[in-house]
Amino acid sequence: MNSFKAIVIKEQQDEVVYGVEQISEEQLSQGEVLVKVAYSSINYKDMLAVQKKGGVIRDYPMIPGIDFSGTVVHTADDRFQEGQEVIVTGFEMGMSHTGGFAEYARVPAEWVVPLPKGLNLKDAMVFGTAGFTAALSIQALEQNGMDPKNDPALLVTGSTGGVGSVALQILSKIGYTNVTALVRKDHQVEVAKSLGATQVIFPNDLGELKKPLNKQKFDYVLDTVGGDVASVLIPQISYGGSMSMCGNAAGLQLTATVLPFILRGINLLGIDSVNVPIEKRGAIWDKMASDWNITQTTLTDEVSLEQVPDTIEAIKNGEHLGRTIVNCQNA
Ligand SMILES: NC(=O)c1ccc[n+]([C@@H]2O[C@H](COP(=O)([O-])OP(=O)(O)OC[C@H]3O[C@@H](n4cnc5c(N)ncnc54)[C@H](OP(=O)(O)O)[C@@H]3O)[C@@H](O)[C@H]2O)c1
């Protein structure tokens, strides 16, 4: 194979620098399956990956990109075939194993999910890691009692971000009609409503974290930000309700007492998308390809590999909306 394009992150003295380079197949991490990448997507973790102390990249140089969709060009594992369309998200990709911001990627066969019927390669990355995480969060809440039949009061935090925007759309599509979106900026109000929110609130509306138990406002919270936002919400979850928690955009520290758990029986549901066992991945992707498929309506931008840094800056500066996919074959 001739050389091809990839984004490469390097450590240079006290800094981390990154940009598009021509590389060869030998520079890809090992694996049984070589894939011509069609699309990758830009996630919060990719923004952290290009920061000096982002805590994502373990070895330099590294190709970032924590997900991709594409076509198998070579496989040493007979569960896959040349020409087959596949998806990979999470595991070590873009951390200690070369990732999806490249024209080609090579990965262990254990990480590979066949593209489900109902999604094309582009749709798969419109969802990407963020959408997969939104789906896992909704699945966890439904497994803990959330059901559109009961018209529960829901709250989605980080609602115009990657995870939140997909979550709002899936919730609206599957029949939830009382969904509040937490936003931080005026221009996000209309965006959140267009994605399916029925009410929109700002952090000031949440009140202060003073009482261990507060007025019961939300039956289920799909939290993507953690920190003080999640902390102030735990005392406001209704009796028997749940909060799913996948992110730390608002901070790592959670402040809570045991009272909402022992007096109201609420549940805190941790969501991890990175190490979900491969046998569970297919079932979630099948749902995203069918009943939960929102790829026709989602808020999505498309960029080339060269344009990735602009989107990463926008995420860093809190100026990004929805999802951005990367067309990895766009010269
Ligand atoms: N557990 C997993 O496997 C997994 C998978 C995917 C993502 N995540 C995590 O989930 C989080 C969200 O990811 P994403 O892809 O949706 O990121 P994103 O697209 O950058 O969106 C982040 C959202 O959080 C909001 N936000 C940031 N700081 C906030 C604060 N202090 N208070 C309230 N809202 C705040 C942002 O609002 P503005 O637009 O106003 O800045 C934005 O809506 C990240 O922490 C990410 O690491 C975890």
Side-chain angles (χ1 to χ4, degrees), residues 130-255:
F132 183 58
T133 307
L136 288 169
S137 303
I138 293 170
Q139 183 187 54
L141 290 167
E142 290 201 330
Q143 284 168 346
N144 281 275
M146 185 173 84
D147 187 330
K149 280 194 228 114
N150 306 326
D151 197 24
L154 312 187
L155 175 69
V156 176
T157 67
S159 66
T160 59
V163 179
S165 65
V166 175
L168 281 180
Q169 291 171 93
I170 297 176
L171 290 168
S172 165
K173 175 161 187 167
I174 62 181
Y176 291 96
T177 56
N178 186 358
V179 183
T180 301
L182 179 70
V183 301
R184 297 202 292 177
K185 297 161 191 137
D186 289 338
H187 72 270
Q188 295 167 338
V189 172
E190 285 315 309
V191 176
K193 286 186 176 166
S194 73
L195 296 169
T198 44
Q199 293 89 238
V200 178
I201 59 171
F202 287 83
N204 280 345
D205 300 322
L206 297 177
E208 285 176 38
L209 180 61
K210 279 198 214 138
K211 302 185 206 158
L213 292 172
N214 211 330
K215 189 162 178 257
Q216 299 178 48
K217 284 195 193 144
F218 304 106
D219 298 314
Y220 298 95
V221 177
L222 192 155
D223 178 54
T224 71
V225 301
D228 288 349
V229 174
S231 303
V232 82
L233 283 165
I234 289 173
Q236 302 184 35
I237 298 174
S238 308
Y239 189 91
S242 296
M243 172 191 275
S244 64
M245 179 170 275
C246 74
N248 60 358
L252 293 176
Q253 184 75 35
L254 197 60
T255 307

Side-chain angles (χ1 to χ4, degrees), residues 307-320:
Q307 293 167 316
V308 166
D310 296 339
T311 304
I312 284 187
E313 270 309 289
I315 293 178
K316 189 175 170 194
N317 298 331
E319 291 161 357
H320 186 245

Side-chain angles (χ1 to χ4, degrees), residues 29-100:
S29 299
Q30 293 302 310
E32 297 80 31
V33 188
L34 179 68
V35 180
K36 182 172 184 182
V37 178
Y39 291 92
S40 182
S41 81
I42 307 181
N43 292 276
Y44 193 85
K45 199 169 178 180
D46 299 310
M47 181 275 286
L48 295 178
V50 303
Q51 313 303 317
K52 172 73 182 159
K53 289 193 175 148
V56 172
I57 307 261
R58 312 222 175 104
D59 308 301
Y60 296 95
M62 179 51 62
I63 299 173
I66 62 169
D67 53 27
F68 69 80
S69 61
T71 307
V72 174
V73 288
H74 173 77
T75 174
D77 186 299
D78 58 14
R79 283 172 290 182
F80 300 98
Q81 298 152 18
E82 243 177 66
Q84 186 173 1
E85 294 182 320
V86 296
I87 308 170
V88 181
T89 68
F91 296 108
E92 288 298 311
M93 278 223 310
M95 297 173 71
S96 62
H97 188 105
T98 52

Side-chain angles (χ1 to χ4, degrees), residues 238-317:
S238 308
Y239 189 91
S242 296
M243 172 191 275
S244 64
M245 179 170 275
C246 74
N248 60 358
L252 293 176
Q253 184 75 35
L254 197 60
T255 307
T257 75
V258 298
L259 294 186
F261 301 92
I262 65 173
L263 297 180
R264 292 183 177 164
I266 70 158
N267 309 295
L268 197 50
L269 313 170
I271 305 297
D272 165 60
S273 69
V274 176
N275 289 304
V276 177
I278 195 75
E279 55 282 5
K280 287 194 179 167
R281 290 177 182 246
I284 293 272
W285 278 105
D286 283 345
K287 230 171 194 177
M288 290 155 73
S290 53
D291 298 350
W292 292 10
N293 190 340
I294 48 77
T295 52
Q296 297 314 306
T297 57
T298 201
L299 180 63
T300 309
D301 262 351
E302 181 174 323
V303 298
S304 63
L305 284 169
E306 286 77 6
Q307 293 167 316
V308 166
D310 296 339
T311 304
I312 284 187
E313 270 309 289
I315 293 178
K316 189 175 170 194
N317 298 331

